[in-house]
Amino acid sequence: ENPASEDEQTEWWFASVRTSKEWRRVIVPYESFFSLNKHSDGRLDLDRVRGIIFVLDHRAVWPGTRGTIWLDELGVYR
């Protein structure tokens, strides 16, 4: 939630992570997230987070690529 946002008072934050064929632990620091909202104050307010979405970028793989991405022990820490 961001009251300054023109998009229904929401603000989307993004961070990219590359997948691999091996099982591995991934840590995504909050500092690596960025907002595309031109009215953002540039601060990710964790108290206003209402959801987490995972998106597979179609430009990151060849057409027809198939596979499975496993998530285990997902956590959010301050």
Coordinates of all heavy atoms in Angstrom, one line a residue:
E1 N 0.8 -1.2 0.0 CA 0.0 0.0 0.0 C 0.9 1.2 0.0 O 1.9 1.3 0.7 CB -0.9 0.0 1.2 CG -1.9 -1.1 1.3 CD -2.7 -1.1 2.6 OE1 -2.3 -0.4 3.5 OE2 -3.7 -1.8 2.6
N2 N 0.5 2.2 -0.8 CA 1.2 3.5 -0.8 C 0.1 4.6 -1.2 O -0.3 4.7 -2.3 CB 2.3 3.5 -1.9 CG 3.0 4.9 -1.9 OD1 2.6 5.8 -1.3 ND2 4.1 4.9 -2.7
P3 N -0.3 5.4 -0.2 CA -1.3 6.4 -0.4 C -1.0 7.4 -1.6 O -1.8 8.0 -2.2 CB -1.4 7.1 0.9 CG -0.9 6.2 1.9 CD 0.2 5.4 1.2
A4 N 0.3 7.6 -1.9 CA 0.7 8.5 -2.9 C 0.6 7.9 -4.3 O 0.7 8.6 -5.3 CB 2.2 9.0 -2.7
S5 N 0.4 6.6 -4.4 CA 0.3 6.0 -5.7 C -1.0 6.3 -6.5 O -2.1 6.3 -5.9 CB 0.4 4.5 -5.5 OG 0.3 3.8 -6.8
E6 N -0.9 6.5 -7.8 CA -2.0 6.7 -8.6 C -2.7 5.4 -9.0 O -3.7 5.4 -9.7 CB -1.6 7.6 -9.8 CG -1.2 9.0 -9.5 CD -0.7 9.7 -10.7 OE1 -0.6 9.2 -11.8 OE2 -0.3 10.9 -10.5
D7 N -2.1 4.3 -8.7 CA -2.6 3.0 -9.1 C -3.3 2.3 -7.9 O -2.8 1.4 -7.3 CB -1.4 2.1 -9.5 CG -1.8 0.8 -10.1 OD1 -3.0 0.6 -10.5 OD2 -0.9 -0.1 -10.2
E8 N -4.5 2.9 -7.6 CA -5.3 2.4 -6.5 C -4.6 2.3 -5.2 O -4.8 1.4 -4.4 CB -5.9 1.0 -6.9 CG -6.8 1.1 -8.1 CD -7.4 -0.3 -8.5 OE1 -7.2 -1.3 -7.7 OE2 -8.1 -0.4 -9.5
Q9 N -3.7 3.2 -5.0 CA -2.9 3.3 -3.7 C -2.1 2.1 -3.5 O -1.9 1.7 -2.4 CB -3.8 3.7 -2.5 CG -4.4 5.0 -2.7 CD -5.2 5.4 -1.4 OE1 -5.5 4.6 -0.6 NE2 -5.3 6.7 -1.2
T10 N -1.6 1.4 -4.6 CA -0.7 0.3 -4.4 C 0.6 0.6 -5.1 O 0.7 1.5 -5.9 CB -1.3 -1.0 -5.1 OG1 -1.5 -0.7 -6.5 CG2 -2.6 -1.4 -4.5
E11 N 1.6 0.0 -4.7 CA 2.9 0.2 -5.3 C 3.6 -1.2 -5.4 O 3.7 -2.0 -4.4 CB 3.8 1.1 -4.4 CG 5.1 1.4 -5.0 CD 5.9 2.5 -4.2 OE1 5.4 2.9 -3.1 OE2 6.9 2.9 -4.7
W12 N 4.0 -1.6 -6.6 CA 4.6 -2.9 -6.8 C 6.2 -2.7 -6.8 O 6.7 -1.8 -7.4 CB 4.2 -3.4 -8.2 CG 2.7 -3.6 -8.3 CD1 1.8 -2.7 -8.5 CD2 2.1 -4.8 -8.0 NE1 0.5 -3.2 -8.5 CE2 0.7 -4.6 -8.2 CE3 2.5 -6.1 -7.7 CZ2 -0.3 -5.6 -8.1 CZ3 1.5 -7.1 -7.6 CH2 0.2 -6.8 -7.8
W13 N 6.8 -3.6 -6.0 CA 8.2 -3.7 -5.9 C 8.8 -5.0 -6.5 O 8.1 -6.0 -6.4 CB 8.6 -3.6 -4.4 CG 8.4 -2.3 -3.8 CD1 7.2 -1.7 -3.4 CD2 9.4 -1.2 -3.6 NE1 7.4 -0.5 -3.0 CE2 8.7 -0.1 -3.1 CE3 10.7 -1.2 -3.8 CZ2 9.3 1.0 -2.7 CZ3 11.4 0.0 -3.5 CH2 10.7 1.1 -2.9
F14 N 9.9 -4.9 -7.2 CA 10.5 -6.0 -7.9 C 11.9 -6.3 -7.5 O 12.6 -5.4 -7.1 CB 10.5 -5.7 -9.4 CG 9.1 -5.3 -10.0 CD1 8.7 -4.0 -9.9 CD2 8.4 -6.3 -10.5 CE1 7.4 -3.7 -10.4 CE2 7.1 -6.0 -11.1 CZ 6.6 -4.7 -11.0
A15 N 12.2 -7.6 -7.6 CA 13.6 -8.0 -7.5 C 13.8 -9.3 -8.4 O 12.8 -10.1 -8.5 CB 14.0 -8.4 -6.1
S16 N 14.9 -9.4 -9.1 CA 15.1 -10.5 -10.0 C 16.1 -11.5 -9.3 O 17.0 -11.2 -8.7 CB 15.7 -10.1 -11.3 OG 14.7 -9.3 -12.0
V17 N 15.8 -12.8 -9.6 CA 16.6 -13.9 -9.1 C 16.7 -14.9 -10.2 O 15.7 -15.3 -10.8 CB 16.0 -14.6 -7.9 CG1 16.8 -15.8 -7.5 CG2 15.8 -13.6 -6.7
R18 N 17.9 -15.3 -10.5 CA 18.1 -16.3 -11.6 C 17.9 -17.7 -11.0 O 18.3 -18.0 -9.9 CB 19.5 -16.2 -12.2 CG 19.7 -15.0 -13.0 CD 20.8 -15.3 -14.0 NE 21.0 -14.1 -14.9 CZ 20.3 -13.9 -16.0 NH1 19.5 -14.9 -16.5 NH2 20.6 -12.9 -16.8
T19 N 17.3 -18.6 -11.8 CA 17.2 -20.0 -11.4 C 18.4 -20.8 -11.8 O 19.2 -20.3 -12.5 CB 15.9 -20.6 -12.0 OG1 16.1 -20.5 -13.5 CG2 14.7 -19.8 -11.6
S20 N 18.5 -22.0 -11.3 CA 19.6 -22.9 -11.6 C 19.0 -24.3 -11.6 O 18.0 -24.5 -11.1 CB 20.8 -22.7 -10.7 OG 20.5 -23.2 -9.4
K21 N 19.8 -25.2 -12.1 CA 19.4 -26.6 -12.1 C 19.7 -27.3 -10.7 O 19.1 -28.3 -10.4 CB 20.1 -27.4 -13.2 CG 19.7 -26.9 -14.6 CD 20.3 -27.8 -15.6 CE 19.9 -27.3 -17.0 NZ 20.4 -28.1 -18.1
E22 N 20.5 -26.6 -9.9 CA 20.8 -27.2 -8.6 C 20.0 -26.5 -7.5 O 19.6 -25.3 -7.6 CB 22.3 -26.9 -8.3 CG 23.2 -27.7 -9.2 CD 23.4 -27.0 -10.5 OE1 23.4 -25.7 -10.5 OE2 23.6 -27.6 -11.5
W23 N 19.6 -27.3 -6.5 CA 18.9 -26.8 -5.3 C 19.8 -25.8 -4.6 O 21.0 -26.1 -4.4 CB 18.5 -27.9 -4.4 CG 17.7 -27.5 -3.3 CD1 18.1 -27.4 -2.0 CD2 16.3 -27.2 -3.3 NE1 17.0 -27.0 -1.2 CE2 15.9 -26.9 -2.0 CE3 15.3 -27.2 -4.3 CZ2 14.6 -26.6 -1.7 CZ3 14.0 -26.8 -4.0 CH2 13.7 -26.5 -2.7
R24 N 19.4 -24.6 -4.3 CA 20.2 -23.7 -3.6 C 19.4 -22.7 -2.8 O 18.2 -22.5 -3.0 CB 21.1 -22.9 -4.6 CG 20.2 -22.0 -5.5 CD 21.1 -21.4 -6.7 NE 20.2 -20.7 -7.6 CZ 20.3 -19.3 -7.7 NH1 21.1 -18.6 -7.0 NH2 19.5 -18.7 -8.5
R25 N 20.1 -22.1 -1.8 CA 19.4 -21.1 -1.0 C 19.6 -19.7 -1.6 O 20.7 -19.4 -2.1 CB 20.1 -21.1 0.4 CG 19.5 -20.0 1.3 CD 20.1 -20.1 2.7 NE 19.7 -21.3 3.2 CZ 19.2 -21.4 4.5 NH1 19.1 -20.4 5.2 NH2 18.8 -22.6 4.9
V26 N 18.5 -19.0 -1.7 CA 18.6 -17.6 -2.3 C 18.2 -16.6 -1.2 O 17.1 -16.8 -0.6 CB 17.7 -17.5 -3.5 CG1 17.7 -16.1 -4.1 CG2 18.1 -18.5 -4.6
I27 N 18.9 -15.6 -1.1 CA 18.6 -14.5 -0.2 C 18.5 -13.2 -1.0 O 19.4 -12.9 -1.8 CB 19.7 -14.3 0.9 CG1 19.7 -15.6 1.8 CG2 19.3 -13.1 1.8 CD1 20.9 -15.6 2.8
V28 N 17.3 -12.6 -0.9 CA 17.1 -11.4 -1.7 C 17.0 -10.2 -0.7 O 16.0 -10.0 0.0 CB 15.8 -11.5 -2.5 CG1 15.6 -10.2 -3.4 CG2 15.8 -12.7 -3.4
P29 N 18.1 -9.4 -0.5 CA 18.0 -8.3 0.4 C 17.0 -7.3 0.0 O 16.7 -7.0 -1.2 CB 19.4 -7.7 0.3 CG 20.2 -8.7 -0.4 CD 19.3 -9.5 -1.2
Y30 N 16.4 -6.6 1.0 CA 15.4 -5.6 0.7 C 15.9 -4.5 -0.2 O 15.2 -3.9 -1.0 CB 14.8 -5.0 2.0 CG 14.0 -6.1 2.8 CD1 14.4 -6.4 4.1 CD2 12.9 -6.7 2.3 CE1 13.7 -7.3 4.8 CE2 12.3 -7.7 3.0 CZ 12.7 -8.0 4.3 OH 12.0 -8.9 5.0
E31 N 17.2 -4.2 0.0 CA 17.9 -3.1 -0.8 C 17.9 -3.4 -2.3 O 18.1 -2.5 -3.1 CB 19.3 -2.9 -0.3 CG 19.4 -2.4 1.1 CD 19.3 -3.5 2.1 OE1 19.6 -4.7 1.8 OE2 18.8 -3.3 3.3
S32 N 17.7 -4.7 -2.7 CA 17.7 -5.0 -4.1 C 16.4 -4.8 -4.8 O 16.3 -4.9 -6.0 CB 18.2 -6.4 -4.3 OG 17.3 -7.4 -3.8
F33 N 15.3 -4.6 -4.0 CA 14.0 -4.3 -4.6 C 13.9 -2.9 -5.1 O 14.5 -2.0 -4.6 CB 12.9 -4.5 -3.5 CG 12.6 -5.9 -3.3 CD1 13.4 -6.7 -2.4 CD2 11.5 -6.5 -3.8 CE1 13.1 -8.0 -2.2 CE2 11.2 -7.9 -3.5 CZ 12.0 -8.6 -2.7
F34 N 13.1 -2.7 -6.2 CA 13.0 -1.4 -6.8 C 11.5 -1.2 -7.2 O 10.8 -2.2 -7.4 CB 13.9 -1.2 -8.0 CG 13.6 -2.1 -9.1 CD1 12.8 -1.8 -10.2 CD2 14.2 -3.4 -9.2 CE1 12.6 -2.7 -11.2 CE2 14.0 -4.3 -10.2 CZ 13.2 -3.9 -11.2
S35 N 11.1 0.0 -7.3 CA 9.7 0.3 -7.7 C 9.7 1.0 -9.0 O 10.5 1.8 -9.3 CB 9.0 1.2 -6.6 OG 7.8 1.6 -7.1
L36 N 8.7 0.7 -9.8 CA 8.5 1.4 -11.1 C 7.5 2.5 -11.0 O 7.3 3.3 -11.9 CB 7.9 0.4 -12.2 CG 8.8 -0.8 -12.5 CD1 8.1 -1.7 -13.5 CD2 10.2 -0.3 -13.0
N37 N 7.0 2.7 -9.8 CA 6.0 3.8 -9.5 C 6.8 5.2 -9.5 O 7.6 5.4 -8.7 CB 5.4 3.6 -8.2 CG 4.2 4.5 -7.9 OD1 4.3 5.7 -8.2 ND2 3.2 4.0 -7.2
K38 N 6.4 6.1 -10.4 CA 7.1 7.4 -10.5 C 6.8 8.3 -9.3 O 7.5 9.2 -9.1 CB 6.8 8.1 -11.8 CG 5.3 8.3 -12.0 CD 5.0 8.9 -13.4 CE 3.5 8.9 -13.7 NZ 3.2 9.2 -15.0
H39 N 5.8 7.9 -8.5 CA 5.5 8.7 -7.3 C 6.0 8.0 -6.0 O 5.7 8.4 -5.0 CB 4.0 8.8 -7.2 CG 3.4 9.6 -8.3 ND1 3.6 10.9 -8.5 CD2 2.6 9.2 -9.4 CE1 2.9 11.3 -9.6 NE2 2.4 10.2 -10.2
S40 N 6.9 7.0 -6.2 CA 7.4 6.3 -5.1 C 8.4 7.2 -4.3 O 9.1 8.0 -4.8 CB 8.2 5.1 -5.5 OG 8.9 4.5 -4.4
D41 N 8.3 7.0 -3.0 CA 9.3 7.7 -2.1 C 10.6 6.9 -2.1 O 11.6 7.3 -1.4 CB 8.8 8.0 -0.7 CG 8.4 6.8 0.0 OD1 8.6 5.7 -0.5 OD2 7.8 6.9 1.1
G42 N 10.7 5.8 -2.7 CA 11.9 5.0 -2.8 C 12.1 4.1 -1.6 O 13.2 3.5 -1.4
R43 N 11.1 4.0 -0.7 CA 11.3 3.2 0.5 C 10.3 2.1 0.5 O 9.1 2.3 0.4 CB 11.1 4.1 1.8 CG 12.1 5.1 2.0 CD 11.9 5.9 3.2 NE 10.5 6.0 3.6 CZ 10.1 6.2 4.8 NH1 10.9 6.2 5.8 NH2 8.8 6.3 5.1
L44 N 10.7 0.9 0.7 CA 9.9 -0.3 0.8 C 9.4 -0.4 2.2 O 10.2 -0.7 3.1 CB 10.6 -1.6 0.4 CG 9.9 -2.9 0.5 CD1 8.6 -2.9 -0.2 CD2 10.8 -4.0 0.1
D45 N 8.1 -0.1 2.5 CA 7.6 -0.1 3.8 C 7.0 -1.5 4.1 O 5.9 -1.9 3.6 CB 6.5 1.0 3.9 CG 5.9 1.1 5.3 OD1 6.2 0.2 6.2 OD2 5.2 2.1 5.5
L46 N 7.8 -2.3 4.8 CA 7.4 -3.7 5.1 C 6.1 -3.8 5.9 O 5.4 -4.8 5.8 CB 8.5 -4.4 5.8 CG 9.8 -4.5 5.1 CD1 10.9 -5.1 5.9 CD2 9.7 -5.2 3.8
D47 N 5.7 -2.8 6.6 CA 4.4 -2.8 7.3 C 3.2 -2.7 6.4 O 2.1 -3.0 6.8 CB 4.4 -1.7 8.4 CG 5.4 -2.0 9.5 OD1 5.6 -3.1 9.9 OD2 5.9 -1.0 10.1
R48 N 3.4 -2.3 5.2 CA 2.3 -2.1 4.2 C 2.3 -3.2 3.2 O 1.5 -3.1 2.2 CB 2.4 -0.7 3.6 CG 2.2 0.4 4.6 CD 2.2 1.7 3.9 NE 1.9 2.8 4.8 CZ 0.7 3.4 4.8 NH1 -0.2 3.1 3.9 NH2 0.5 4.4 5.6
V49 N 3.2 -4.2 3.2 CA 3.2 -5.3 2.3 C 1.9 -6.1 2.5 O 1.6 -6.5 3.6 CB 4.5 -6.2 2.4 CG1 4.4 -7.4 1.5 CG2 5.7 -5.3 2.1
R50 N 1.2 -6.4 1.4 CA 0.0 -7.2 1.5 C 0.0 -8.5 0.7 O -0.9 -9.3 0.8 CB -1.2 -6.3 1.0 CG -1.4 -5.1 1.8 CD -1.8 -5.4 3.2 NE -2.0 -4.3 4.1 CZ -1.1 -3.9 5.0 NH1 -0.1 -4.6 5.3 NH2 -1.3 -2.8 5.7
G51 N 1.1 -8.7 0.0 CA 1.2 -10.0 -0.8 C 2.6 -10.1 -1.4 O 3.3 -9.1 -1.6
I52 N 2.9 -11.4 -1.8 CA 4.1 -11.7 -2.5 C 3.7 -12.5 -3.7 O 3.0 -13.4 -3.6 CB 5.1 -12.5 -1.6 CG1 5.5 -11.7 -0.4 CG2 6.3 -12.9 -2.4 CD1 6.4 -12.4 0.6
I53 N 4.2 -12.1 -4.9 CA 3.9 -12.8 -6.1 C 5.2 -13.2 -6.8 O 6.2 -12.4 -6.8 CB 3.1 -11.9 -7.1 CG1 1.8 -11.4 -6.4 CG2 2.9 -12.5 -8.4 CD1 1.1 -10.4 -7.2
F54 N 5.3 -14.4 -7.3 CA 6.4 -14.9 -8.1 C 6.0 -14.9 -9.5 O 5.0 -15.5 -9.9 CB 6.8 -16.3 -7.6 CG 7.3 -16.3 -6.2 CD1 6.5 -16.5 -5.1 CD2 8.7 -16.1 -5.9 CE1 6.9 -16.5 -3.8 CE2 9.1 -16.1 -4.6 CZ 8.2 -16.3 -3.6
V55 N 6.9 -14.4 -10.4 CA 6.6 -14.3 -11.8 C 7.8 -14.9 -12.6 O 9.0 -14.5 -12.3 CB 6.4 -12.8 -12.3 CG1 6.2 -12.8 -13.8 CG2 5.2 -12.2 -11.5
L56 N 7.5 -15.8 -13.5 CA 8.6 -16.3 -14.4 C 8.6 -15.4 -15.6 O 7.7 -15.3 -16.3 CB 8.2 -17.7 -14.7 CG 9.4 -18.6 -15.1 CD1 10.5 -18.6 -14.1 CD2 8.9 -20.0 -15.4
D57 N 9.8 -14.8 -15.8 CA 9.9 -13.9 -16.9 C 10.1 -14.7 -18.2 O 11.1 -15.4 -18.4 CB 11.2 -13.0 -16.7 CG 11.4 -11.9 -17.7 OD1 10.7 -12.0 -18.8 OD2 12.2 -11.1 -17.5
H58 N 9.2 -14.5 -19.2 CA 9.2 -15.2 -20.4 C 10.4 -14.9 -21.3 O 10.8 -15.6 -22.2 CB 7.9 -15.0 -21.2 CG 7.7 -13.6 -21.7 ND1 8.2 -13.2 -22.9 CD2 7.1 -12.6 -21.1 CE1 7.9 -11.9 -23.0 NE2 7.2 -11.5 -21.9
R59 N 11.1 -13.8 -21.0 CA 12.3 -13.4 -21.8 C 13.5 -14.0 -21.2 O 14.6 -13.9 -21.8 CB 12.4 -11.9 -21.8 CG 11.3 -11.2 -22.5 CD 11.4 -9.7 -22.3 NE 11.1 -9.4 -20.9 CZ 11.3 -8.2 -20.3 NH1 11.7 -7.2 -21.0 NH2 11.0 -8.1 -19.1
A60 N 13.4 -14.7 -20.1 CA 14.6 -15.3 -19.5 C 14.9 -16.8 -19.9 O 15.9 -17.3 -19.6 CB 14.5 -15.3 -18.0
V61 N 13.9 -17.4 -20.7 CA 14.1 -18.7 -21.1 C 13.7 -18.8 -22.6 O 13.0 -18.0 -23.1 CB 13.2 -19.7 -20.3 CG1 13.6 -19.8 -18.9 CG2 11.7 -19.3 -20.4
W62 N 14.2 -19.9 -23.2 CA 13.9 -20.1 -24.6 C 12.5 -20.6 -24.8 O 11.9 -21.3 -23.9 CB 14.8 -21.2 -25.2 CG 16.3 -20.7 -25.3 CD1 17.3 -21.0 -24.4 CD2 16.8 -19.9 -26.3 NE1 18.4 -20.4 -24.8 CE2 18.2 -19.7 -26.0 CE3 16.3 -19.2 -27.4 CZ2 19.0 -18.9 -26.7 CZ3 17.2 -18.4 -28.2 CH2 18.5 -18.3 -27.8
P63 N 11.8 -20.2 -25.9 CA 10.4 -20.7 -26.1 C 10.4 -22.2 -26.0 O 11.2 -22.9 -26.6 CB 10.1 -20.2 -27.5 CG 11.0 -19.0 -27.7 CD 12.2 -19.3 -26.9
G64 N 9.3 -22.8 -25.4 CA 9.2 -24.2 -25.3 C 9.9 -24.8 -24.1 O 9.8 -26.0 -23.9
T65 N 10.7 -24.0 -23.4 CA 11.4 -24.5 -22.2 C 10.3 -25.0 -21.2 O 9.3 -24.3 -20.9 CB 12.3 -23.4 -21.6 OG1 13.2 -23.1 -22.6 CG2 13.0 -23.9 -20.4
R66 N 10.6 -26.1 -20.5 CA 9.7 -26.6 -19.5 C 10.5 -26.9 -18.3 O 11.7 -27.2 -18.3 CB 9.0 -27.9 -20.0 CG 8.1 -27.6 -21.2 CD 7.5 -28.9 -21.6 NE 6.8 -29.6 -20.5 CZ 5.5 -29.8 -20.5 NH1 4.7 -29.4 -21.5 NH2 4.9 -30.4 -19.5
G67 N 9.9 -26.9 -17.1 CA 10.6 -27.2 -15.9 C 9.7 -26.9 -14.7 O 8.5 -26.5 -14.8
T68 N 10.3 -27.1 -13.6 CA 9.6 -26.9 -12.3 C 10.5 -26.1 -11.4 O 11.7 -26.3 -11.3 CB 9.3 -28.3 -11.6 OG1 8.5 -29.1 -12.5 CG2 8.6 -28.0 -10.3
I69 N 9.9 -25.1 -10.7 CA 10.6 -24.3 -9.7 C 10.0 -24.6 -8.4 O 8.8 -24.5 -8.2 CB 10.5 -22.8 -10.0 CG1 11.2 -22.5 -11.4 CG2 11.1 -22.0 -8.9 CD1 11.0 -21.0 -11.8
W70 N 10.9 -25.1 -7.5 CA 10.4 -25.4 -6.1 C 10.8 -24.3 -5.2 O 11.9 -23.8 -5.2 CB 11.1 -26.7 -5.7 CG 10.7 -27.9 -6.5 CD1 11.3 -28.4 -7.6 CD2 9.7 -28.8 -6.2 NE1 10.7 -29.5 -8.1 CE2 9.6 -29.8 -7.3 CE3 8.7 -28.9 -5.3 CZ2 8.7 -30.8 -7.3 CZ3 7.8 -29.9 -5.3 CH2 7.8 -30.8 -6.3
L71 N 9.9 -24.0 -4.3 CA 10.1 -23.0 -3.2 C 9.9 -23.8 -1.9 O 8.9 -24.5 -1.7 CB 9.2 -21.9 -3.3 CG 9.2 -21.0 -4.5 CD1 8.1 -20.0 -4.5 CD2 10.5 -20.4 -4.7
D72 N 10.9 -23.6 -1.0 CA 10.8 -24.3 0.3 C 11.2 -23.4 1.4 O 12.2 -22.7 1.2 CB 11.6 -25.6 0.3 CG 11.5 -26.5 1.5 OD1 10.4 -26.5 2.1 OD2 12.5 -27.1 1.9
E73 N 10.6 -23.4 2.5 CA 10.9 -22.6 3.6 C 11.1 -21.1 3.3 O 12.1 -20.5 3.6 CB 12.2 -23.1 4.3 CG 12.1 -24.5 4.9 CD 13.3 -25.0 5.6 OE1 14.0 -24.1 6.2 OE2 13.5 -26.2 5.7
L74 N 10.0 -20.6 2.6 CA 10.0 -19.2 2.3 C 9.8 -18.4 3.6 O 9.0 -18.7 4.4 CB 8.8 -18.9 1.3 CG 8.7 -17.5 0.9 CD1 9.8 -17.0 0.1 CD2 7.4 -17.4 0.1
G75 N 10.7 -17.4 3.7 CA 10.6 -16.6 4.9 C 10.9 -15.1 4.6 O 11.5 -14.8 3.6
V76 N 10.4 -14.3 5.5 CA 10.6 -12.8 5.4 C 11.2 -12.4 6.7 O 10.6 -12.6 7.8 CB 9.3 -12.1 5.1 CG1 9.5 -10.6 5.0 CG2 8.7 -12.6 3.8
Y77 N 12.3 -11.8 6.7 CA 13.0 -11.4 7.9 C 13.4 -9.9 7.8 O 13.7 -9.4 6.8 CB 14.3 -12.2 8.1 CG 14.0 -13.7 8.1 CD1 14.2 -14.4 7.0 CD2 13.6 -14.3 9.3 CE1 13.9 -15.8 7.0 CE2 13.4 -15.7 9.3 CZ 13.5 -16.4 8.2 OH 13.3 -17.7 8.2
R78 N 13.3 -9.2 8.9 CA 13.8 -7.8 9.0 C 15.2 -7.8 9.6 O 15.6 -8.5 10.3 CB 12.9 -7.0 9.9 CG 11.6 -6.8 9.2 CD 10.8 -5.8 10.1 NE 9.5 -5.7 9.5 CZ 8.7 -4.6 9.7 NH1 9.1 -3.7 10.5 NH2 7.6 -4.5 9.2

